[in-house]
Amino acid sequence: MIAVIICRTTGNFTSGSNFLTTNIMNRRTFVQRTLRTAGALLLPDLLLTACNGNNLCEVENWQGKAVVIGAGAAGMYAAQLLHKAGADVTVLEASGAYGGRIRPLNGFSDFIIELGAEEVHGNKTQWYKMVQNAGSEFTSTNTTDLLALGSQLLTEDEAANDPDVITAFNFVDSLGNYTGPDKSIAQHIAELGIPTRVHHLLNALIGNEFGSDNTRLGAKSIANAENLWTAGNDSYALKNDTLLSVLEYHCANILGKIILNQPVQSVTYTHNSVTVTTASGNVYTADKAIITIPLAVLKTGAVAFSPALPDAKTQAFEGIGMDAGMKIILRFNNRFWPEDTGSIYGNGFIPEFWSTGYGRSAQNNLLTAFICGPNAEYLSSLGDNAIQTALAELDALFGQGAASGAFDAGFIMDWFKQPYIRGAYSYPSPNSDVHRQALAQPVANTLFFAGEATHAQGHQGTVHGAIETAQRAVNELLCSLKE
Ligand SMILES: Cc1cc2nc3c(=O)[nH]c(=O)nc-3n(C[C@H](O)[C@H](O)[C@H](O)COP(=O)(O)OP(=O)(O)OC[C@H]3O[C@@H](n4cnc5c(N)ncnc54)[C@H](O)[C@@H]3O)c2cc1C
């Protein structure tokens, strides 16, 4: 993998197996597959416990009523914690399925494909421990990345001596050191004079990975997020199980309490009472509510709050970015890329492809295109034709007809078009840190806010971040009972 050739300690660009990598390179890319199994063995004993409420606000038996809005990772885990604490909990989910941005695709290959979250980032989180406790196994494969440079497609070893590539990776490696005023990453790159021939690579490794592109990410906000990241540096993919199966395992007690197809339209609250009305006119009352609606949905104003939310909260909706995002799954009759390929960094509309099945599929004939931000908006506007764009870009990289001639079937998961998600995940837009804290703030001791975008300690845009916000919001709720 490209990531393995960065040395964090020295900042030198080097190849070899004794390396450390940056958080950013490990957050959402398939990296260090060889370390996955070893990493699992080295898991430190975590203080937090899964679903048993031990870390909660010493309120172990609250027999009140709670409503949780949204049944993604945050909502399901919050409901499970509340249930364990004794609450009578109801979960209202707008769509026809629980899991939110964790969604498996069955039947497209000889393994189950993840259409949303795919990797477990870091081994120092509650979520990592939950995956282990569910008995899930990680893949353990060793991969090589490919990257487009000019008209060439190079392996990471071939690129290792290119001075511009070295500069690009040193830039990525030093993102956490930036202390100046917040400005876009693209502006920062331009001011440093980093050659344009590697800008697409930097966009793939930073902008796209964080859920947008380099023109929309803040250099200072990224630095803050990087410095707050405590999850650990390696990423892990599940071999046989799905992330949804892990959630189901840990939240089994509340699956029957999730009511599907219930888009909440209004939330009316006082101190210690809340009334929630759904699109079909169903009314639910409770003592407290936990709201896990994705940021991009909150931005639309689809949910009316009465009384109106504090200004800081609605300003936070606008002040934090959440852009379009999609995966295009491509199945081929024959593999035209090397078997051990990890990621392929292109220079078109698609910043990154990766080999989805390596280590999981006997056939290993799938590529996933992963696109966020303005490029995803454009590809979304193409509808099914986005597949032709992906094939044309692969043909340009691997030789005329290599991809289009071998193409068998495609599947587009366009999160931008999902009415109750409307994008990929929140990202560190310029000056967004203060807004994240406001987004997370409880209102009137009755409304509590969870979900990835409310994570103000650097774990936004991840499943483990969503889980951590559920813990925080449930803790706030239980503590509010003492006031
Ligand atoms: C393409 C993609 C790839 C990703 N890859 C990774 C990865 O590899 N690793 C990782 O850790 N993270 C990854 N993520 C991010 C991760 O999926 C999310 O951060 C996490 O799943 C968010 O959980 P959540 O509970 O905050 O929100 P969600 O999962 O979005 O849950 C919110 C729920 O609220 C529901 N809802 C919305 N409006 C209403 C309403 N009005 N009434 C009732 N319900 C409503 C929605 O339908 C949804 O089910 C990825 C995300 C995407 C899109």
Side-chain angles (χ1 to χ4, degrees), residues 68 79-80 83 87-93 251-260:
V68 175
Q80 178 69 22
H83 172 79
D88 173 7
V89 62
T90 301
V91 187
L92 301 175
E93 166 55 42
C251 301
N253 294 333
I254 58 88
L255 294 181
K257 298 176 185 298
I258 301 173
I259 309 178
L260 301 174

Side-chain angles (χ1 to χ4, degrees), residues 27-30 68-77 91-103 114-121 127 209 229 235-236 243 247 259-266 276-279 291-295 297-298 302-303 322-327 354 368-372 413-416 418-426 450-454 459-467 469-470:
R27 292 184 67 165
R28 298 181 187 92
T29 50
F30 281 64
V68 175
I69 305 178
M76 289 172 69
Y77 193 56
V91 187
L92 301 175
E93 166 55 42
S95 72
Y98 57 75
R101 280 168 273 174
I102 293 178
R103 188 183 298 185
E114 296 283 6
L115 294 172
E118 186 159 338
E119 293 213 299
V120 177
H121 298 304
W127 175 236
E209 295 291 333
W229 179 268
S235 291
Y236 308 85
L243 298 183
L247 264 188
I259 309 178
L260 301 174
N261 300 305
Q262 297 295 315
V264 168
Q265 281 190 330
S266 72
V276 169
T277 307
T278 68
I291 297 164
T292 72
I293 296 171
L295 175 65
V297 176
L298 290 171
V303 183
M322 179 165 164
D323 281 359
M326 60 167 29
K327 279 184 175 178
W354 62 70
T368 294
F370 177 59
I371 316 102
C372 293
M413 184 64 229
D414 186 349
W415 291 97
F416 192 39
Q418 296 293 299
Y420 304 116
I421 306 286
R422 293 179 174 266
Y425 36 84
S426 69
E452 58 84 10
T454 70
H459 294 181
Q460 78 293 326
T462 65
V463 176
H464 67 265
I467 294 285
T469 66

Side-chain angles (χ1 to χ4, degrees), residues 220-234:
K220 184 73 173 72
S221 303
I222 290 275
N224 291 345
E226 286 293 281
N227 291 324
L228 287 167
W229 179 268
T230 55
N233 284 341
D234 302 321

